[in-house]
Amino acid sequence: MKATVHVFLKPGVLDVQGKAIENALHGLGWADVSGVRVGRVLEFEVGGDKASAEAEVKAMCDKLLANTVIESYRIEVA
């Protein structure tokens, strides 16, 4: 099964990269852009049925793929 994990900083955590991109967009003429947040997407194959695959990917996120103190994540398994 294909797993996709979307990882983003939690609301309230300063996103320096997002702020730099927002400022660059303003400098290029897109003044209406605001609230830019940068995240990452991980895609990989995982075995098992959907329920066990989701449980495994959640464990991966909690242990390695996301820093759950400052990041949240969303899992898609198909």
Side-chain angles (χ1 to χ4, degrees):
M1 304 198 91
K2 180 180 174 182
T4 304
V5 178
H6 302 266
V7 181
F8 290 95
L9 289 171
K10 289 182 177 179
V13 176
L14 178 63
D15 187 342
V16 177
Q17 213 176 1
K19 194 64 177 168
I21 292 169
E22 183 176 315
N23 290 337
L25 290 170
H26 290 172
L28 292 170
W30 288 289
D32 291 341
V33 173
S34 64
V36 176
R37 307 286 286 174
V38 175
R40 62 187 183 278
V41 177
L42 300 98
E43 294 181 340
F44 52 91
E45 295 292 324
V46 63
D49 61 29
K50 186 170 181 164
S52 65
E54 286 175 346
E56 280 190 56
V57 173
K58 183 181 181 328
M60 291 175 198
C61 289
D62 290 337
K63 291 181 181 177
L64 176 68
L65 302 179
N67 177 349
T68 56
V69 174
I70 61 169
E71 294 176 320
S72 58
Y73 60 86
R74 181 171 41 94
I75 298 169
E76 299 170 10
V77 177

